[in-house]
Amino acid sequence: MKYKMIVLDLDDTLLRDDGTLSSRNKQALMAAQEAGVKVVLASGRPTYAMKALAEELDLERFGSYILSFNGAKIINWRSQEEAFSSTLTPQMAHALYEMSIEEGVSALTYVGDDIVTASVNEYTLIESQITGMKVVEVSSFVEAVQVPVVKVLMVAEPDKLVLVEEKLKAKLAGQLNVMRSKPFFLEFTEDGVNKGTSLNHLIQQLGIERSEVIAMGDGYNDVAMLEFAGLGVAMGNAPEEIIQLADYVTDTNMNDGVAKVVEEFLLKDLVQTT
């Protein structure tokens, strides 16, 4: 089999607009895992928010992986061991919070299984809805965040966040990785950490070549892994900039675009060689 791993963004890629997994996508991924293909769920979501899907796809039985927090953590779902982990110091989280105040946007991070913020708004509530995590509004962000965190998000209406992203990317170049996961989410992780660099750590541990990896996504935080993989696949619902840089474009997340790639590049290949 040419491809040994398939790496999948979740929202607007593997999942439908209502956040559910279609039966065709599930069936295709289960068949791929049965054939020995490693499935990696790769999302900006916290690990906690990916557990249910990991269970639905039976990642534990197959020894497949979760790549969470935009690559800041990779976990072998069978052993629960971390294949890769990256954090920000509490001091860096505090500094980002101060920058958010200066820029007039809200900031949040994750402590335990909670979303911690000093300012609840529609965007922090969207993150709660996506992740299934409780929002804890604190009077002092600095006092509430006293341990290393995996990432910090700044959230605001998209037009405002475009300007903040441009300014802070320049200001924090060489210090932090700054990327947009959704139009209203601006994410900050350790410098050099993204879905592509983390994927590189994982395949080196597993002895898999880049050419043996398929990566699928729709967003700007997927660019690094699409460019890294042997076959970078954009969803039909992706922005035009993402579509232009992909090696291949599949159908939309609402029309089983993931399953169609698995069937074409993994399962058909398996049938032809048996």
Side-chain angles (χ1 to χ4, degrees), residues 68-112:
S68 54
F69 294 104
N70 273 321
K73 278 193 182 296
I74 303 179
I75 299 173
N76 179 319
W77 210 245
R78 175 183 289 158
S79 67
Q80 290 296 303
E81 293 176 344
E82 292 183 348
F84 177 78
S85 181
S86 165
T87 57
L88 302 177
T89 65
Q91 293 75 23
M92 179 57 76
H94 302 163
L96 288 167
Y97 171 68
E98 293 299 330
M99 291 178 206
S100 74
I101 294 174
E102 293 170 6
E103 299 301 328
V105 300
S106 296
L108 64 87
T109 191
Y110 312 89
V111 177

Side-chain angles (χ1 to χ4, degrees), residues 34-257:
E34 292 282 5
V37 176
K38 291 297 183 186
V39 168
V40 180
L41 304 181
S43 177
R45 292 186 182 199
T47 307
Y48 176 90
M50 301 171 70
K51 289 181 178 180
L53 189 58
E55 292 172 1
E56 187 171 0
L57 289 171
D58 211 359
L59 298 194
E60 180 180 358
R61 177 160 67 97
F62 294 108
S64 287
Y65 290 81
I66 276 186
L67 184 158
S68 54
F69 294 104
N70 273 321
K73 278 193 182 296
I74 303 179
I75 299 173
N76 179 319
W77 210 245
R78 175 183 289 158
S79 67
Q80 290 296 303
E81 293 176 344
E82 292 183 348
F84 177 78
S85 181
S86 165
T87 57
L88 302 177
T89 65
Q91 293 75 23
M92 179 57 76
H94 302 163
L96 288 167
Y97 171 68
E98 293 299 330
M99 291 178 206
S100 74
I101 294 174
E102 293 170 6
E103 299 301 328
V105 300
S106 296
L108 64 87
T109 191
Y110 312 89
V111 177
D113 292 335
D114 294 330
I115 298 168
V116 173
T117 182
S119 176
V120 174
N121 58 31
E122 62 180 300
Y123 302 112
T124 54
L125 295 177
I126 289 172
E127 176 67 352
S128 177
Q129 182 180 18
I130 290 172
T131 62
M133 298 171 75
K134 181 177 68 175
V135 177
V136 176
E137 187 171 17
V138 296
S139 57
S140 171
F141 186 91
V142 171
E143 289 182 9
V145 180
Q146 293 293 319
V147 295
V149 298
V150 179
K151 69 175 183 178
V152 171
L153 264 68
M154 292 186 190
V155 299
E157 61 92 15
D159 289 343
K160 170 72 171 176
L161 216 51
V162 167
L163 302 177
V164 176
E165 178 183 18
E166 182 179 355
K167 180 177 178 179
L168 294 187
K169 267 189 173 179
K171 181 176 182 177
L172 297 170
Q175 300 179 59
L176 294 177
N177 189 54
V178 183
M179 70 189 117
R180 197 95 70 88
S181 56
K182 289 187 178 295
F184 40 79
F185 288 165
L186 184 61
E187 311 212 359
F188 300 81
T189 55
E190 188 178 9
D191 187 39
V193 173
N194 57 51
K195 291 184 181 182
T197 56
S198 295
L199 182 56
N200 186 37
H201 285 290
L202 179 59
I203 66 169
Q204 287 185 31
Q205 292 178 35
L206 298 178
I208 294 174
E209 301 293 328
R210 289 175 63 174
S211 60
E212 297 172 321
V213 177
I214 299 174
M216 300 183 62
D218 74 290
Y220 296 103
N221 62 325
D222 298 319
V223 169
M225 75 173 185
L226 296 185
E227 293 180 334
F228 177 82
L231 182 67
V233 180
M235 302 303 294
N237 49 285
E240 186 61 30
E241 304 96 301
I242 308 298
I243 287 174
Q244 289 300 320
L245 63 82
D247 301 311
Y248 183 84
V249 181
T250 187
D251 211 330
T252 68
N253 67 310
M254 293 299 290
N255 290 318
D256 298 316

